[in-house]
Each structure stands twice: as C-alpha cells, then as structure tokens.
Amino acid sequence: MKKISVIALVGVGLLVASCNSKEKTDTSVATEQAVAESKGEVLAVDAAASVVNWKAFHKGGFAPRWGTLNVKSGDLSIEGGQVVAGNFNIDMTSIKVDPASVTEKDKKPADLEAHLKNPDFFNVEKNPTSDFKITSVADLKEAPADAVAGANKTVSGNLTLLGKTMNVTFPAKVDVVDNTAAIQAKFTVNRTDWGIKFGTSEADPAEWMISKDIEIAIDVKAKK
C-alpha cells in the first residue's frame, strides 16, 4: 500500500480500511528500516489498556466492517522526556468484528472473523502475531487535517504482517507524563503491500469489490 492514512500493531496490529474515495492521512510506506535503539528508561506496554482498531470497506464505501485487535506485549523507551524507541506485539488470533458493522440479515460477524483468520487474509494459524517496531520519532510541524487529534510527532516503524515487514510513517499523538507514555495514531495501509491480495482481482467482480485499504487506529499505553 503506497498510502497509510492501525493497530495496527499488529499489528498488528494489526489493522482499519477506508474506501478509495476517502482522503487519506499523510502517511507513507517504504522498505524495512533499521530499528531505533532502545535507551533511557524502558516502560512496559500495558496490554489491558492498549488496543488496535481496524476498519474496512467494500469499494465505494459500501458495507463497512470494523472491529478490534488485542495488543499482546511491548515496551516504549523514554529519554529526555521523549519516546525514542519501542515496539508492540499484536495478537492476530484476537481479531474481532463489531456486530454493529454487520447489518445484512444473511451475514454473521463470526463468519467474517473466521474468514479474516484464514489464508485468504491474515492466516493466523501460521502467523498468530504481528508487530510494530519504531524506527524514528520526530517533531511534527503541522498536523494534517485528518490526523489523530493532538498529533505532535511523526512516527516511523516497521510493521510486520504475514511475515513481511514494511516501514510505515504517520502522524501521531505521543505523550510522556510522569511514569507513563502513550502513542495514538490513525493511518491507512494498502494490504497488498503485505501480500494480502484476496478480493483484488478484477477478473472476479465479486472479489474485486473489496477495498485494498485497511484503516488502522492504534492506542498504545505504557507504564512503569
């Protein structure tokens, strides 16, 4: 996906998708980069207080689906009152579909969850976890209009899905207060960049109607 507009972890976190007509957050995707060195004080990610939200659409914005992924573990490194490195691990087996997003009488959230877990999408039996590893954190001069509220940093990191790693860059709200740290962000990725190609063939109109974009919103908290 050449655009990133989560976890998402997790990558995975995980993972959230947007229709092609929607304006995307100012993000980018590149090849894997060197991971930032862990230094200073290291705070453990609070898995119970962290979450990756995802959202996906069929083309044209029809039949949106959304849900969550659990953050499994991780840490954030703090130096000089700033987040300088870190990582978090996403439990892909925890993917949930919000029942409110499945309005069709002949559709069931559990069926969609099962499909997302199978080899067509995230193949969680072979890839039970995804991860995000920070490669850099820089000051954000001006936040895009559709960035997460309060965005003050540009975060880059290696996002691994299905065993493939790509570097993603997006605006984020990064806070360090007392003995806690938090990262909040929303961005959109093109799932085909990680080899998730189900529903992208124009030869099959039924499959082709599934958007390639996954919108991800991450809310990761760490504490002493």
Side-chain angles (χ1 to χ4, degrees), residues 100-169:
S101 72
V102 183
T103 58
E104 301 89 340
K105 292 183 179 180
D106 61 336
K107 305 290 184 181
K108 297 180 180 180
D111 292 339
L112 177 54
E113 287 174 9
H115 194 191
L116 291 174
K117 290 178 180 180
N118 82 20
D120 283 343
F121 289 96
F122 299 108
N123 199 2
V124 301
E125 184 175 349
K126 290 187 176 180
N127 301 278
T129 61
S130 295
D131 59 57
F132 181 82
K133 298 180 180 180
I134 293 174
T135 56
S136 68
V137 181
D139 290 337
L140 178 64
K141 294 182 179 179
E142 185 177 355
D146 56 347
V148 67
N152 58 354
K153 300 288 183 179
T154 296
V155 174
S156 294
N158 293 332
L159 175 62
T160 300
L161 294 170
L162 291 181
K164 182 176 181 179
T165 303
M166 300 289 289
N167 190 265
V168 298
T169 300

Short mmCIF file of all heavy atoms in Angstrom, two decimals, residues 100-169:
data_model
loop_
_atom_site.label_atom_id
_atom_site.label_comp_id
_atom_site.label_asym_id
_atom_site.label_seq_id
_atom_site.Cartn_x
_atom_site.Cartn_y
_atom_site.Cartn_z
N ALA A 100 -22.16 -4.58 15.26
CA ALA A 100 -22.88 -3.41 14.74
C ALA A 100 -22.51 -3.11 13.29
O ALA A 100 -23.25 -2.40 12.60
CB ALA A 100 -22.60 -2.19 15.61
N SER A 101 -21.38 -3.64 12.84
CA SER A 101 -20.94 -3.36 11.47
C SER A 101 -21.48 -4.37 10.46
O SER A 101 -21.31 -4.20 9.25
CB SER A 101 -19.40 -3.35 11.39
OG SER A 101 -18.86 -4.66 11.52
N VAL A 102 -22.14 -5.41 10.94
CA VAL A 102 -22.69 -6.44 10.05
C VAL A 102 -24.21 -6.34 10.11
O VAL A 102 -24.86 -6.93 10.98
CB VAL A 102 -22.22 -7.85 10.46
CG1 VAL A 102 -22.74 -8.89 9.48
CG2 VAL A 102 -20.70 -7.90 10.53
N THR A 103 -24.77 -5.59 9.17
CA THR A 103 -26.21 -5.30 9.21
C THR A 103 -27.04 -6.21 8.31
O THR A 103 -28.26 -6.27 8.45
CB THR A 103 -26.45 -3.84 8.82
OG1 THR A 103 -25.91 -3.61 7.50
CG2 THR A 103 -25.77 -2.90 9.81
N GLU A 104 -26.40 -6.92 7.39
CA GLU A 104 -27.14 -7.79 6.49
C GLU A 104 -27.67 -9.01 7.24
O GLU A 104 -26.96 -9.62 8.03
CB GLU A 104 -26.24 -8.25 5.33
CG GLU A 104 -25.69 -7.11 4.49
CD GLU A 104 -24.36 -6.60 5.01
OE1 GLU A 104 -24.04 -6.84 6.20
OE2 GLU A 104 -23.64 -5.95 4.24
N LYS A 105 -28.91 -9.38 6.99
CA LYS A 105 -29.54 -10.49 7.70
C LYS A 105 -28.87 -11.83 7.42
O LYS A 105 -28.91 -12.74 8.25
CB LYS A 105 -31.03 -10.57 7.34
CG LYS A 105 -31.84 -9.38 7.87
CD LYS A 105 -33.32 -9.55 7.53
CE LYS A 105 -34.13 -8.38 8.09
NZ LYS A 105 -35.57 -8.52 7.77
N ASP A 106 -28.26 -11.96 6.23
CA ASP A 106 -27.64 -13.24 5.87
C ASP A 106 -26.16 -13.30 6.22
O ASP A 106 -25.47 -14.24 5.84
CB ASP A 106 -27.83 -13.51 4.37
CG ASP A 106 -27.18 -12.44 3.51
OD1 ASP A 106 -27.00 -11.30 3.99
OD2 ASP A 106 -26.84 -12.74 2.35
N LYS A 107 -25.66 -12.30 6.95
CA LYS A 107 -24.25 -12.27 7.33
C LYS A 107 -24.10 -12.39 8.84
O LYS A 107 -24.93 -11.90 9.59
CB LYS A 107 -23.59 -10.96 6.87
CG LYS A 107 -23.72 -10.67 5.38
CD LYS A 107 -22.88 -11.62 4.54
CE LYS A 107 -22.95 -11.24 3.06
NZ LYS A 107 -22.17 -12.17 2.22
N LYS A 108 -23.02 -13.03 9.27
CA LYS A 108 -22.74 -13.18 10.69
C LYS A 108 -21.32 -12.71 11.02
O LYS A 108 -20.39 -13.06 10.29
CB LYS A 108 -22.91 -14.65 11.11
CG LYS A 108 -24.32 -15.18 10.95
CD LYS A 108 -24.38 -16.64 11.39
CE LYS A 108 -25.80 -17.19 11.24
NZ LYS A 108 -25.86 -18.62 11.66
N PRO A 109 -21.15 -11.94 12.10
CA PRO A 109 -19.81 -11.48 12.49
C PRO A 109 -18.82 -12.63 12.65
O PRO A 109 -17.66 -12.52 12.26
CB PRO A 109 -20.06 -10.77 13.82
CG PRO A 109 -21.49 -10.32 13.75
CD PRO A 109 -22.19 -11.40 12.99
N ALA A 110 -19.27 -13.74 13.21
CA ALA A 110 -18.38 -14.88 13.44
C ALA A 110 -17.84 -15.45 12.13
O ALA A 110 -16.69 -15.91 12.06
CB ALA A 110 -19.11 -15.97 14.22
N ASP A 111 -18.67 -15.41 11.08
CA ASP A 111 -18.23 -15.92 9.78
C ASP A 111 -17.14 -15.01 9.20
O ASP A 111 -16.16 -15.50 8.61
CB ASP A 111 -19.40 -16.00 8.81
CG ASP A 111 -20.40 -17.07 9.20
OD1 ASP A 111 -20.02 -17.99 9.96
OD2 ASP A 111 -21.57 -16.99 8.75
N LEU A 112 -17.29 -13.70 9.36
CA LEU A 112 -16.29 -12.77 8.87
C LEU A 112 -14.99 -12.92 9.66
O LEU A 112 -13.90 -12.90 9.09
CB LEU A 112 -16.79 -11.33 8.95
CG LEU A 112 -15.79 -10.24 8.53
CD1 LEU A 112 -15.25 -10.50 7.13
CD2 LEU A 112 -16.44 -8.86 8.61
N GLU A 113 -15.11 -13.08 10.98
CA GLU A 113 -13.92 -13.28 11.80
C GLU A 113 -13.14 -14.51 11.32
O GLU A 113 -11.92 -14.48 11.20
CB GLU A 113 -14.31 -13.45 13.27
CG GLU A 113 -14.75 -12.16 13.94
CD GLU A 113 -15.27 -12.38 15.34
OE1 GLU A 113 -15.12 -13.52 15.86
OE2 GLU A 113 -15.84 -11.44 15.94
N ALA A 114 -13.87 -15.59 11.06
CA ALA A 114 -13.23 -16.82 10.59
C ALA A 114 -12.55 -16.61 9.24
O ALA A 114 -11.44 -17.12 9.01
CB ALA A 114 -14.26 -17.94 10.50
N HIS A 115 -13.18 -15.83 8.36
CA HIS A 115 -12.59 -15.58 7.05
C HIS A 115 -11.33 -14.73 7.18
O HIS A 115 -10.32 -14.99 6.52
CB HIS A 115 -13.60 -14.87 6.14
CG HIS A 115 -13.19 -14.88 4.70
ND1 HIS A 115 -13.83 -14.12 3.74
CD2 HIS A 115 -12.22 -15.55 4.05
CE1 HIS A 115 -13.25 -14.33 2.57
NE2 HIS A 115 -12.28 -15.19 2.72
N LEU A 116 -11.36 -13.72 8.05
CA LEU A 116 -10.18 -12.88 8.24
C LEU A 116 -9.01 -13.67 8.81
O LEU A 116 -7.84 -13.33 8.57
CB LEU A 116 -10.52 -11.71 9.18
CG LEU A 116 -11.48 -10.66 8.62
CD1 LEU A 116 -11.85 -9.65 9.70
CD2 LEU A 116 -10.88 -9.96 7.41
N LYS A 117 -9.31 -14.72 9.56
CA LYS A 117 -8.25 -15.52 10.17
C LYS A 117 -7.67 -16.56 9.22
O LYS A 117 -6.59 -17.09 9.47
CB LYS A 117 -8.80 -16.23 11.42
CG LYS A 117 -9.09 -15.30 12.58
CD LYS A 117 -9.68 -16.08 13.76
CE LYS A 117 -9.97 -15.15 14.93
NZ LYS A 117 -10.54 -15.89 16.09
N ASN A 118 -8.38 -16.85 8.12
CA ASN A 118 -7.90 -17.93 7.25
C ASN A 118 -6.88 -17.42 6.23
O ASN A 118 -6.58 -16.22 6.18
CB ASN A 118 -9.09 -18.68 6.63
CG ASN A 118 -9.68 -17.99 5.40
OD1 ASN A 118 -9.08 -17.15 4.74
ND2 ASN A 118 -10.91 -18.37 5.07
N PRO A 119 -6.31 -18.29 5.41
CA PRO A 119 -5.24 -17.89 4.48
C PRO A 119 -5.62 -16.82 3.45
O PRO A 119 -4.73 -16.21 2.85
CB PRO A 119 -4.87 -19.20 3.79
CG PRO A 119 -5.16 -20.25 4.82
CD PRO A 119 -6.44 -19.77 5.48
N ASP A 120 -6.92 -16.58 3.23
CA ASP A 120 -7.31 -15.51 2.31
C ASP A 120 -6.81 -14.15 2.81
O ASP A 120 -6.54 -13.25 2.01
CB ASP A 120 -8.83 -15.44 2.16
CG ASP A 120 -9.37 -16.53 1.25
OD1 ASP A 120 -8.58 -17.13 0.49
OD2 ASP A 120 -10.59 -16.79 1.30
N PHE A 121 -6.75 -14.00 4.13
CA PHE A 121 -6.36 -12.73 4.71
C PHE A 121 -5.13 -12.87 5.62
O PHE A 121 -4.01 -12.81 5.15
CB PHE A 121 -7.54 -12.08 5.45
CG PHE A 121 -8.61 -11.57 4.52
CD1 PHE A 121 -9.73 -12.34 4.23
CD2 PHE A 121 -8.49 -10.32 3.92
CE1 PHE A 121 -10.71 -11.88 3.36
CE2 PHE A 121 -9.45 -9.85 3.05
CZ PHE A 121 -10.56 -10.62 2.77
N PHE A 122 -5.32 -13.05 6.92
CA PHE A 122 -4.19 -12.97 7.85
C PHE A 122 -3.60 -14.31 8.28
O PHE A 122 -2.60 -14.33 8.99
CB PHE A 122 -4.61 -12.15 9.08
CG PHE A 122 -5.00 -10.75 8.72
CD1 PHE A 122 -6.33 -10.34 8.77
CD2 PHE A 122 -4.05 -9.83 8.31
CE1 PHE A 122 -6.69 -9.05 8.41
CE2 PHE A 122 -4.40 -8.55 7.95
CZ PHE A 122 -5.72 -8.15 8.01
N ASN A 123 -4.21 -15.41 7.87
CA ASN A 123 -3.62 -16.73 8.07
C ASN A 123 -3.04 -16.87 9.48
O ASN A 123 -1.84 -17.13 9.68
CB ASN A 123 -2.52 -16.98 7.04
CG ASN A 123 -2.18 -18.45 6.88
OD1 ASN A 123 -2.79 -19.30 7.52
ND2 ASN A 123 -1.22 -18.74 6.03
N VAL A 124 -3.89 -16.68 10.48
CA VAL A 124 -3.41 -16.59 11.86
C VAL A 124 -2.84 -17.89 12.41
O VAL A 124 -2.07 -17.88 13.38
CB VAL A 124 -4.52 -16.07 12.80
CG1 VAL A 124 -4.99 -14.71 12.35
CG2 VAL A 124 -5.68 -17.05 12.89
N GLU A 125 -3.17 -19.02 11.79
CA GLU A 125 -2.58 -20.28 12.24
C GLU A 125 -1.07 -20.27 12.03
O GLU A 125 -0.30 -20.72 12.88
CB GLU A 125 -3.22 -21.46 11.51
CG GLU A 125 -2.71 -22.81 12.00
CD GLU A 125 -3.44 -23.98 11.36
OE1 GLU A 125 -4.47 -23.76 10.70
OE2 GLU A 125 -2.96 -25.12 11.53
N LYS A 126 -0.62 -19.73 10.90
CA LYS A 126 0.80 -19.66 10.61
C LYS A 126 1.41 -18.34 11.09
O LYS A 126 2.63 -18.26 11.31
CB LYS A 126 1.04 -19.80 9.10
CG LYS A 126 0.78 -21.19 8.57
CD LYS A 126 1.20 -21.30 7.12
CE LYS A 126 1.03 -22.73 6.60
NZ LYS A 126 1.44 -22.85 5.16
N ASN A 127 0.59 -17.32 11.25
CA ASN A 127 1.08 -16.00 11.66
C ASN A 127 0.22 -15.48 12.81
O ASN A 127 -0.58 -14.56 12.64
CB ASN A 127 1.03 -15.02 10.48
CG ASN A 127 1.86 -15.50 9.30
OD1 ASN A 127 3.06 -15.32 9.24
ND2 ASN A 127 1.18 -16.13 8.33
N PRO A 128 0.36 -16.06 14.01
CA PRO A 128 -0.51 -15.70 15.12
C PRO A 128 -0.26 -14.30 15.69
O PRO A 128 -1.11 -13.77 16.40
CB PRO A 128 -0.20 -16.76 16.17
CG PRO A 128 1.20 -17.21 15.86
CD PRO A 128 1.29 -17.15 14.36
N THR A 129 0.89 -13.71 15.37
CA THR A 129 1.19 -12.37 15.86
C THR A 129 1.71 -11.48 14.74
O THR A 129 2.23 -11.96 13.73
CB THR A 129 2.23 -12.39 16.99
OG1 THR A 129 3.45 -12.96 16.49
CG2 THR A 129 1.74 -13.20 18.18
N SER A 130 1.54 -10.18 14.93
CA SER A 130 2.16 -9.16 14.09
C SER A 130 2.87 -8.19 15.03
O SER A 130 2.59 -8.19 16.23
CB SER A 130 1.10 -8.40 13.28
OG SER A 130 0.47 -9.27 12.37
N ASP A 131 3.77 -7.41 14.49
CA ASP A 131 4.43 -6.46 15.38
C ASP A 131 4.77 -5.15 14.68
O ASP A 131 4.82 -5.07 13.45
CB ASP A 131 5.68 -7.05 16.04
CG ASP A 131 6.72 -7.50 15.02
OD1 ASP A 131 7.16 -6.68 14.20
OD2 ASP A 131 7.12 -8.67 15.07
N PHE A 132 4.98 -4.13 15.50
CA PHE A 132 5.38 -2.81 15.03
C PHE A 132 6.60 -2.39 15.84
O PHE A 132 6.56 -2.39 17.07
CB PHE A 132 4.24 -1.80 15.23
CG PHE A 132 4.58 -0.42 14.74
CD1 PHE A 132 4.47 -0.10 13.39
CD2 PHE A 132 5.03 0.56 15.62
CE1 PHE A 132 4.79 1.18 12.93
CE2 PHE A 132 5.35 1.83 15.16
CZ PHE A 132 5.23 2.14 13.81
N LYS A 133 7.69 -2.03 15.15
CA LYS A 133 8.92 -1.62 15.81
C LYS A 133 9.31 -0.22 15.34
O LYS A 133 9.49 0.00 14.13
CB LYS A 133 10.05 -2.62 15.50
CG LYS A 133 9.76 -4.03 16.02
CD LYS A 133 10.89 -4.99 15.70
CE LYS A 133 10.59 -6.39 16.23
NZ LYS A 133 11.67 -7.36 15.92
N ILE A 134 9.40 0.69 16.27
CA ILE A 134 9.70 2.09 15.94
C ILE A 134 11.11 2.22 15.34
O ILE A 134 12.07 1.67 15.87
CB ILE A 134 9.57 2.98 17.19
CG1 ILE A 134 8.10 3.04 17.64
CG2 ILE A 134 10.10 4.39 16.92
CD1 ILE A 134 7.89 3.78 18.95
N THR A 135 11.19 2.97 14.24
CA THR A 135 12.48 3.27 13.63
C THR A 135 12.89 4.72 13.85
O THR A 135 14.07 5.04 13.87
CB THR A 135 12.47 2.95 12.12
OG1 THR A 135 11.41 3.68 11.49
CG2 THR A 135 12.25 1.46 11.88
N SER A 136 11.91 5.61 14.05
CA SER A 136 12.23 7.00 14.37
C SER A 136 10.99 7.73 14.89
O SER A 136 9.86 7.35 14.56
CB SER A 136 12.77 7.76 13.14
OG SER A 136 11.77 7.92 12.15
N VAL A 137 11.23 8.76 15.69
CA VAL A 137 10.18 9.65 16.18
C VAL A 137 10.70 11.07 16.02
O VAL A 137 11.76 11.41 16.53
CB VAL A 137 9.84 9.39 17.67
CG1 VAL A 137 8.73 10.33 18.12
CG2 VAL A 137 9.43 7.95 17.88
N ALA A 138 9.96 11.90 15.30
CA ALA A 138 10.40 13.28 15.04
C ALA A 138 9.26 14.25 15.33
O ALA A 138 8.08 13.88 15.29
CB ALA A 138 10.85 13.42 13.58
N ASP A 139 9.61 15.49 15.61
CA ASP A 139 8.60 16.52 15.85
C ASP A 139 7.77 16.74 14.58
O ASP A 139 8.30 16.72 13.47
CB ASP A 139 9.25 17.84 16.26
CG ASP A 139 9.86 17.77 17.65
OD1 ASP A 139 9.43 16.93 18.45
OD2 ASP A 139 10.78 18.58 17.93
N LEU A 140 6.49 16.95 14.76
CA LEU A 140 5.57 17.22 13.65
C LEU A 140 5.27 18.70 13.62
O LEU A 140 4.72 19.25 14.58
CB LEU A 140 4.29 16.41 13.83
CG LEU A 140 3.19 16.59 12.78
CD1 LEU A 140 3.66 16.12 11.41
CD2 LEU A 140 1.94 15.82 13.20
N LYS A 141 5.65 19.37 12.55
CA LYS A 141 5.46 20.81 12.46
C LYS A 141 4.00 21.19 12.28
O LYS A 141 3.49 22.12 12.89
CB LYS A 141 6.31 21.38 11.31
CG LYS A 141 7.81 21.26 11.54
CD LYS A 141 8.58 21.88 10.40
CE LYS A 141 10.09 21.79 10.64
NZ LYS A 141 10.85 22.38 9.50
N GLU A 142 3.32 20.48 11.41
CA GLU A 142 1.91 20.79 11.13
C GLU A 142 1.15 19.49 10.89
O GLU A 142 1.47 18.75 9.95
CB GLU A 142 1.79 21.71 9.93
CG GLU A 142 0.36 22.17 9.65
CD GLU A 142 0.27 23.15 8.49
OE1 GLU A 142 1.33 23.55 7.97
OE2 GLU A 142 -0.85 23.51 8.11
N ALA A 143 0.15 19.24 11.70
CA ALA A 143 -0.61 18.00 11.57
C ALA A 143 -1.61 18.09 10.42
O ALA A 143 -2.29 19.10 10.26
CB ALA A 143 -1.35 17.71 12.87
N PRO A 144 -1.73 17.05 9.61
CA PRO A 144 -2.76 17.00 8.56
C PRO A 144 -4.14 17.08 9.19
O PRO A 144 -4.33 16.70 10.35
CB PRO A 144 -2.52 15.64 7.90
CG PRO A 144 -1.13 15.25 8.26
CD PRO A 144 -0.88 15.84 9.61
N ALA A 145 -5.10 17.56 8.44
CA ALA A 145 -6.46 17.75 8.96
C ALA A 145 -7.08 16.45 9.46
O ALA A 145 -7.88 16.44 10.40
CB ALA A 145 -7.34 18.38 7.89
N ASP A 146 -6.72 15.33 8.83
CA ASP A 146 -7.34 14.06 9.21
C ASP A 146 -6.47 13.22 10.13
O ASP A 146 -6.75 12.04 10.35
CB ASP A 146 -7.74 13.26 7.97
CG ASP A 146 -6.56 13.00 7.04
OD1 ASP A 146 -5.50 13.64 7.23
OD2 ASP A 146 -6.69 12.16 6.14
N ALA A 147 -5.42 13.82 10.69
CA ALA A 147 -4.59 13.09 11.65
C ALA A 147 -5.34 12.95 12.96
O ALA A 147 -6.34 13.63 13.21
CB ALA A 147 -3.28 13.84 11.87
N VAL A 148 -4.88 12.06 13.82
CA VAL A 148 -5.49 11.89 15.13
C VAL A 148 -5.42 13.21 15.88
O VAL A 148 -4.47 13.98 15.73
CB VAL A 148 -4.78 10.76 15.90
CG1 VAL A 148 -3.35 11.14 16.26
CG2 VAL A 148 -5.55 10.37 17.13
N ALA A 149 -6.44 13.51 16.67
CA ALA A 149 -6.48 14.77 17.41
C ALA A 149 -5.25 14.92 18.30
O ALA A 149 -4.87 13.99 19.01
CB ALA A 149 -7.75 14.82 18.25
N GLY A 150 -4.63 16.09 18.25
CA GLY A 150 -3.48 16.36 19.09
C GLY A 150 -2.17 15.82 18.55
O GLY A 150 -1.16 15.80 19.28
N ALA A 151 -2.13 15.39 17.29
CA ALA A 151 -0.90 14.83 16.71
C ALA A 151 0.25 15.81 16.86
O ALA A 151 0.13 16.98 16.49
CB ALA A 151 -1.13 14.49 15.25
N ASN A 152 1.36 15.33 17.41
CA ASN A 152 2.52 16.20 17.64
C ASN A 152 3.84 15.60 17.18
O ASN A 152 4.88 16.24 17.26
CB ASN A 152 2.62 16.55 19.14
CG ASN A 152 2.73 15.30 20.02
OD1 ASN A 152 2.64 14.17 19.55
ND2 ASN A 152 2.94 15.51 21.31
N LYS A 153 3.80 14.37 16.68
CA LYS A 153 5.02 13.68 16.23
C LYS A 153 4.79 12.97 14.90
O LYS A 153 3.65 12.65 14.54
CB LYS A 153 5.47 12.64 17.27
CG LYS A 153 5.78 13.20 18.65
CD LYS A 153 7.08 14.00 18.66
CE LYS A 153 7.41 14.49 20.07
NZ LYS A 153 8.68 15.26 20.11
N THR A 154 5.87 12.72 14.21
CA THR A 154 5.85 11.83 13.05
C THR A 154 6.55 10.55 13.47
O THR A 154 7.72 10.58 13.87
CB THR A 154 6.57 12.44 11.85
OG1 THR A 154 5.89 13.63 11.43
CG2 THR A 154 6.61 11.46 10.68
N VAL A 155 5.84 9.46 13.43
CA VAL A 155 6.39 8.17 13.85
C VAL A 155 6.61 7.29 12.63
O VAL A 155 5.74 7.19 11.76
CB VAL A 155 5.43 7.46 14.83
CG1 VAL A 155 5.93 6.05 15.16
CG2 VAL A 155 5.28 8.27 16.12
N SER A 156 7.77 6.66 12.57
CA SER A 156 8.05 5.66 11.54
C SER A 156 8.36 4.35 12.23
O SER A 156 8.96 4.32 13.31
CB SER A 156 9.26 6.08 10.69
OG SER A 156 8.98 7.23 9.93
N GLY A 157 7.94 3.26 11.62
CA GLY A 157 8.20 1.97 12.22
C GLY A 157 8.01 0.83 11.24
O GLY A 157 7.36 0.98 10.21
N ASN A 158 8.61 -0.30 11.56
CA ASN A 158 8.48 -1.49 10.73
C ASN A 158 7.23 -2.27 11.16
O ASN A 158 7.15 -2.72 12.31
CB ASN A 158 9.71 -2.39 10.88
CG ASN A 158 10.96 -1.76 10.30
OD1 ASN A 158 10.89 -0.95 9.37
ND2 ASN A 158 12.12 -2.11 10.83
N LEU A 159 6.28 -2.41 10.25
CA LEU A 159 5.06 -3.17 10.51
C LEU A 159 5.18 -4.52 9.81
O LEU A 159 5.37 -4.58 8.60
CB LEU A 159 3.84 -2.41 9.99
CG LEU A 159 2.49 -3.12 10.09
CD1 LEU A 159 2.13 -3.42 11.54
CD2 LEU A 159 1.39 -2.29 9.43
N THR A 160 5.07 -5.58 10.60
CA THR A 160 5.17 -6.93 10.05
C THR A 160 3.80 -7.60 10.05
O THR A 160 3.13 -7.69 11.08
CB THR A 160 6.15 -7.79 10.88
OG1 THR A 160 7.46 -7.18 10.84
CG2 THR A 160 6.25 -9.20 10.31
N LEU A 161 3.38 -8.03 8.87
CA LEU A 161 2.13 -8.78 8.68
C LEU A 161 2.43 -9.97 7.79
O LEU A 161 3.18 -9.84 6.81
CB LEU A 161 1.06 -7.91 8.02
CG LEU A 161 0.52 -6.71 8.79
CD1 LEU A 161 -0.33 -5.86 7.87
CD2 LEU A 161 -0.27 -7.16 10.01
N LEU A 162 1.89 -11.12 8.10
CA LEU A 162 2.12 -12.33 7.30
C LEU A 162 3.61 -12.61 7.10
O LEU A 162 4.02 -13.13 6.06
CB LEU A 162 1.42 -12.22 5.94
CG LEU A 162 -0.10 -12.24 5.93
CD1 LEU A 162 -0.62 -12.15 4.51
CD2 LEU A 162 -0.64 -13.49 6.60
N GLY A 163 4.43 -12.20 8.06
CA GLY A 163 5.86 -12.44 7.96
C GLY A 163 6.60 -11.46 7.08
O GLY A 163 7.83 -11.53 6.94
N LYS A 164 5.90 -10.49 6.49
CA LYS A 164 6.55 -9.49 5.64
C LYS A 164 6.62 -8.17 6.39
O LYS A 164 5.65 -7.75 7.03
CB LYS A 164 5.78 -9.31 4.33
CG LYS A 164 6.44 -8.31 3.39
CD LYS A 164 5.71 -8.23 2.06
CE LYS A 164 6.40 -7.23 1.13
NZ LYS A 164 5.72 -7.15 -0.19
N THR A 165 7.75 -7.48 6.29
CA THR A 165 7.95 -6.23 7.01
C THR A 165 8.10 -5.06 6.05
O THR A 165 8.89 -5.10 5.11
CB THR A 165 9.21 -6.32 7.89
OG1 THR A 165 9.07 -7.43 8.80
CG2 THR A 165 9.40 -5.05 8.69
N MET A 166 7.31 -4.01 6.30
CA MET A 166 7.39 -2.76 5.55
C MET A 166 7.45 -1.62 6.56
O MET A 166 6.89 -1.71 7.66
CB MET A 166 6.18 -2.57 4.64
CG MET A 166 6.00 -3.66 3.59
SD MET A 166 7.24 -3.60 2.29
CE MET A 166 6.72 -2.11 1.41
N ASN A 167 8.13 -0.53 6.18
CA ASN A 167 8.21 0.62 7.07
C ASN A 167 7.09 1.60 6.75
O ASN A 167 6.86 1.94 5.59
CB ASN A 167 9.56 1.32 6.90
CG ASN A 167 9.80 2.37 7.95
OD1 ASN A 167 9.54 3.55 7.73
ND2 ASN A 167 10.28 1.96 9.11
N VAL A 168 6.37 2.03 7.79
CA VAL A 168 5.27 2.97 7.61
C VAL A 168 5.54 4.24 8.43
O VAL A 168 6.14 4.18 9.50
CB VAL A 168 3.92 2.35 8.02
CG1 VAL A 168 3.60 1.16 7.15
CG2 VAL A 168 3.93 1.93 9.48
N THR A 169 5.10 5.36 7.90
CA THR A 169 5.29 6.65 8.56
C THR A 169 3.97 7.37 8.64
O THR A 169 3.24 7.45 7.64
CB THR A 169 6.31 7.51 7.77
OG1 THR A 169 7.56 6.82 7.72
CG2 THR A 169 6.52 8.86 8.43
#
